[in-house]
Structures are given as structure tokens and as C-alpha cells.
Amino acid sequence: QVQLVESGGGLVQAGGSLRLSCAASGLTFSSYNMGWFRQAPGKEREFVAAIYWSGRLTDYADSVKGRFGMSRDNAKNTVILQMNSLKPEDTAVYYCGLPSRGSSWSQVRVAQVYDYWGQGTQVTVSS
């Protein structure tokens, strides 16, 4: 059974940093693209970042580009979201997602493409 477990969220002041991790099991990890999404109260789930199965390519939402970095360690079945220069508008529950193997890299920004999600980790940024 596929399991995705996020960790590393917390409370941080504006301008600070957090490092989120997503540990995967029950899948051939290196065969899958991976994504990070976030959801704030009353809002739709929003794309944050994605990484290609090999780690060679990444994609970022305009709102986080230059501040967040995504990486993966296929040997450890783990993806990382390094978040720097955090802003109050980054406050949300952050989810790690696994897209369908039938989907393409060009679809990684679309939440409906994802087959499985972790439980989420709360990130709160105070002003």
C-alpha cells in the first residue's frame, strides 16, 4: 500500500525557514514524479512545486520561485521542500502528492492528476 508521510512543519516568523520532508513507501519511488501542494482554509489546493522522477527537472509556482527549493533522494525514498524567506501568505497545510503514472510532466501542476496524498503538515508564518 502506498504511504506518504510529511514532516517538518511548524510555526516560524516571517523571513524564517522550514524544511519539509515526505517519506514514501509501497511504491517504486524512483519511477514517479512527485509534487508539493498546499491548502489554506477556504481555498482550493494549490500547486507549490514538483520534481521529475529522475530529479533532473523541477517546477515551481510563481509565488514561491526563488524562495523554495525541491529535491529528492531516491535511495532514501524521500523528497524535500526547503522553504526560505517565508511570508504570512505561505501559511497552509502542505501535502506531498503522487501523480498517476498515466499523467505527463506537463500536468504536474494539476491536483486532479494526483492519485495519492500524505496526511499534510501545518506551516504557520507569523508577521
Side-chain angles (χ1 to χ4, degrees):
Q1 186 179 37
V2 172
Q3 298 285 337
L4 303 174
V5 180
E6 302 95 336
S7 62
L11 175 64
V12 65
Q13 291 186 344
S17 297
L18 285 172
R19 191 178 210 241
L20 306 185
S21 296
C22 174
S25 62
L27 71 158
T28 305
F29 180 75
S30 61
S31 297
Y32 287 89
N33 305 327
M34 298 291 292
W36 285 99
F37 286 70
R38 65 190 183 188
Q39 190 164 22
K43 294 186 178 180
E44 300 271 347
R45 190 164 294 192
E46 175 190 30
F47 172 76
V48 176
I51 191 164
Y52 198 58
W53 62 269
S54 68
R56 191 178 340 111
L57 300 173
T58 53
D59 190 25
Y60 300 96
D62 289 344
S63 59
V64 307
K65 192 168 186 176
R67 300 188 297 119
F68 292 9
M70 189 174 181
S71 60
R72 70 189 299 160
D73 186 340
N74 286 345
K76 295 181 178 180
N77 284 11
T78 300
V79 293
I80 302 296
L81 185 68
Q82 178 66 47
M83 305 188 296
N84 300 318
S85 301
L86 283 161
K87 304 174 181 179
E89 51 262 45
D90 295 319
T91 295
V93 178
Y94 283 70
Y95 296 93
C96 180
L98 181 74
S100 170
R101 286 181 60 84
S103 65
S104 66
W105 173 246
S106 65
Q107 297 176 302
V108 294
R109 291 173 171 245
V110 181
Q112 289 76 13
V113 161
Y114 287 74
D115 285 338
Y116 196 83
W117 303 95
Q119 84 288 348
T121 187
Q122 176 71 48
V123 172
T124 303
V125 184
S126 62
S127 60

